[in-house]
Amino acid sequence: MSASASQPSVVGTDDPRYEDLATRGNNKRFTARPREFRVVTSTAEVVEAVGEAVRDGLKIAVRSGGHGYENFTGDPAVQLVIDLGEMRAVSFDTGRRAFMVEPGARLLEDVYGPMYERWGVAVPAGNSNKVGLGGHVQGGGYGSLCRAHGLIVDHLYAVEVVTVDAAGEARAVIATREPDDPHHDLWWALTGGGAGTFGVVTRFWFRSPGATGDDPAHLLPRPPAEMIISTVLFPRPGLDKPALRALVGAFGRWHERNSAPDSPYAHLFSSLVLLGRNPDPEKDMGAVLVTHMDAGRPGAERLLQDFLDEVTGRAGLSPVVLPAETVPWTASKKALGDAQDAEIGRQKVKSANLRRSFSDDQADALFDFLNGDGHANDSSLVAIDSYGGRVGAVAPDDTAVAQRDSVMKVLFMNTWQDAEHDAANLDWMRRFYGAVFAKTGGVPVPGDDQDGCFINFPDTDLADPALNTSGTPWHELYFKDHYARLRDIRAAYDPRGVFGHALSVRTA
């Protein structure tokens, strides 16, 4: 079947393109092998694909950038994968006074670069260069500009979504943040309720709240002209258990005190990456601290140095401080993304939102597992990232992102290449995460110190009572008190249960 203006390209199992599409996902543990893929390039093609699938009774999954960490598109029950990867356009919509971005657009080459070069603006999105916007936005994605400008969903004006009504009819709906919009609830659900639940998003429009006029250059944040990049290395021999306690504690306590929306440090983003043992002694680094500071802020160099002095100047630490660099903003984004995108293979990830620093007991668990044995990986790490700042200036109920007063986000990642090591590596990661959060049932239960998990780093283990012994359900860890409203919205816009996966919002 050939594609037309309203008919997507159909790729079945006997098509030479099938294998490429099947293996395109970032997590090589999973391979999508549906009955067919539909490669779409327009909203009309998505409507056609969804409508045909409903009429034929096919189970649907949706993919934009292919960076999903769980087996949502590769689930054996999925018979049709709608691939949005070719929908990558970015333009300015004069009618809506907003920037239109399609869901397959990759952050660096399709979004950051064109927006900055053509209009001098940016959306405060993620650090990976290759992540597709589709799932990233719907989960409330964050990155290095978020402390200064809030989350990407804080600038989301409208979405176009292909939904299916009770009669099985597929149609495109545009939902906006305008309070009197009849589809306002659908817009709200897609500002952090997770991808693949309510329909297929085919277009996003971005405009900052309160932005006025018609000049595109004034309708989204203007990123820094230059960033100061600091890199500090911590060789493993000098990072014993007391030293790791000191480093993790100092990093966390600094963020506790310097993450208010009006803090002069709202323009600083830092990532403390704790690394597992590497079999190559020349690559076996204990930790790396990478910090980006807006070079145009008053006293930027002094603020950066004060931060570094506080975090790295602890007794017992032996840091290697590399010369700082001042680079254009786009170069700083590329550097962050290149480091993050290097982790490719068979993976397991977990996450946490922190309101306070890891405790000494938690730091000791980090040390024991990252320096111990029990797994056969190529790369294991824990990345503790700056959060807070302007993220906390938005009320929790204004969007579906419920975690607004966290000051750090944590990513646990284990990457390996050999399928024979799956069981050992999964077991190691589960024991590791369980040990770090042992006092709250093996998961970061919302409370004074921690605030649940991040849906863009999905983890089906949270729904397993053998691994999550907290008594707190998986959906509370991701969505907190927003879950009831999200369920009502899904019931209204997906009454037949056409969409969904293992961690999507359930209907009653």
Side-chain angles (χ1 to χ4, degrees):
M1 183 184 296
S2 61
S4 71
S6 62
Q7 201 169 59
S9 177
V10 179
V11 179
T13 55
D14 59 350
D15 191 298
R17 296 169 294 175
Y18 184 90
E19 194 64 23
D20 176 67
L21 288 166
T23 58
R24 192 169 288 180
N26 203 56
N27 187 348
K28 300 308 179 185
R29 281 176 57 212
F30 307 124
T31 301
R33 294 199 177 278
R35 178 188 301 181
E36 61 188 37
F37 291 90
R38 300 289 182 98
V39 180
V40 294
T41 60
S42 69
T43 300
E45 291 182 7
V46 175
V47 170
E48 178 68 16
V50 171
E52 284 189 16
V54 172
R55 288 191 291 275
D56 294 343
L58 302 182
K59 171 65 175 173
I60 297 172
V62 184
R63 182 173 71 186
S64 56
H67 274 66
Y69 288 114
E70 283 290 5
N71 198 23
F72 298 157
T73 59
D75 184 333
V78 171
Q79 298 158 297
L80 172 66
V81 172
I82 298 176
D83 192 295
L84 307 169
E86 296 304 313
M87 297 182 66
R88 301 170 69 168
V90 177
S91 63
F92 183 71
D93 184 331
T94 56
R96 288 194 170 87
R97 297 188 305 109
F99 294 85
M100 189 285 298
V101 185
E102 290 183 333
R106 271 59 169 182
L107 287 181
L108 184 67
E109 62 182 294
D110 299 321
V111 182
Y112 292 140
M115 276 192 173
Y116 187 62
E117 291 164 7
R118 295 177 63 184
W119 300 288
V121 300
V123 284
N127 295 332
S128 169
N129 292 335
K130 298 178 181 178
V131 162
L133 210 70
H136 181 73
V137 174
Q138 295 176 64
Y142 79 103
S144 61
L145 288 179
C146 289
R147 279 170 60 89
H149 299 291
L151 299 175
I152 188 170
V153 293
D154 300 339
H155 303 266
L156 181 64
Y157 176 72
V159 285
E160 181 177 64
V161 196
V162 175
T163 63
V164 178
D165 63 21
E169 198 69 30
R171 65 185 180 120
V173 173
I174 292 179
T176 76
R177 69 170 173 237
E178 300 294 345
D180 60 351
D181 184 337
H183 300 298
H184 177 79
D185 271 358
L186 181 58
W187 169 88
W188 183 88
L190 296 169
T191 61
T197 292
F198 306 95
V200 184
V201 174
T202 54
R203 287 189 288 181
F204 300 95
W205 286 270
F206 296 98
R207 173 171 26 102
S208 297
T212 59
D214 300 319
D215 185 350
H218 299 295
L219 298 178
L220 279 177
R222 298 184 69 83
E226 293 182 314
M227 299 292 287
I228 307 172
I229 301 179
S230 165
T231 303
V232 182
L233 309 177
F234 298 88
R236 192 173 303 280
L239 202 60
D240 60 11
K241 187 173 288 188
L244 188 71
R245 275 190 178 191
L247 177 60
V248 168
F251 186 81
R253 288 187 293 272
W254 183 94
H255 281 82
E256 291 175 29
R257 298 193 316 273
N258 295 282
S259 296
D262 60 352
S263 169
Y265 281 106
H267 297 268
L268 179 148
F269 172 85
S270 190
S271 183
L272 175 61
V273 184
L274 311 176
L275 299 165
R277 286 194 177 277
N278 192 304
D280 184 345
E282 294 185 0
K283 298 179 180 178
D284 192 26
M285 191 61 58
V288 179
L289 176 67
V290 178
T291 308
H292 287 216
M293 179 73 193
D294 181 349
R297 307 305 298 177
E301 292 183 359
R302 175 187 57 79
L303 289 168
L304 174 59
Q305 191 58 54
D306 289 348
F307 163 77
L308 294 173
D309 289 345
E310 179 168 343
V311 173
T312 68
R314 303 284 162 171
L317 293 176
S318 303
V320 177
V321 181
L322 302 184
E325 299 179 86
T326 300
V327 301
W329 173 72
T330 51
S332 74
K333 292 301 292 184
K334 186 177 187 307
L336 274 176
D338 286 348
Q340 184 165 318
D341 294 335
E343 302 292 337
I344 296 176
R346 306 177 73 82
Q347 295 179 323
K348 180 62 180 177
V349 304
K350 294 176 178 287
S351 67
N353 297 291
L354 299 185
R355 287 173 161 147
R356 295 180 182 170
S357 173
F358 277 130
S359 67
D360 285 348
D361 287 346
Q362 289 176 311
D364 289 349
L366 294 171
F367 179 90
D368 290 342
F369 276 84
L370 290 172
N371 287 276
D373 298 319
H375 61 305
N377 61 11
D378 294 302
S379 171
S380 57
L381 61 85
V382 176
I384 311 173
D385 288 348
S386 296
Y387 200 58
R390 297 299 301 175
V391 173
V394 176
D397 291 342
D398 286 355
T399 68
V401 176
Q403 298 88 355
R404 286 287 180 172
D405 62 358
S406 300
V407 298
M408 290 170 284
K409 275 193 180 291
V410 186
L411 168 66
F412 296 73
M413 176 178 281
N414 196 15
T415 304
W416 63 99
Q417 306 301 326
D418 193 335
E420 293 183 0
H421 296 152
D422 283 3
N425 280 308
L426 290 169
D427 174 68
W428 177 84
M429 178 60 89
R430 288 163 176 161
R431 289 186 291 108
F432 182 13
Y433 191 72
V436 172
F437 298 106
K439 292 183 178 179
T440 51
V443 297
V445 173
D448 291 339
D449 301 329
Q450 52 209 22
D451 200 19
C453 305
F454 181 37
I455 190 60
N456 278 1
F457 297 152
D459 175 17
T460 55
D461 290 348
L462 299 179
D464 185 342
L467 299 172
N468 173 8
T469 62
S470 69
T472 301
W474 66 269
H475 54 78
E476 186 173 332
L477 294 170
Y478 285 124
F479 307 120
K480 298 176 64 175
D481 293 342
H482 289 171
Y483 191 62
R485 183 178 176 186
L486 289 169
R487 289 182 67 177
D488 289 344
I489 296 169
R490 184 176 180 195
Y493 285 92
D494 185 24
R496 297 168 63 100
V498 171
F499 306 101
H501 49 72
L503 293 178
S504 60
V505 173
R506 306 285 194 267
T507 53

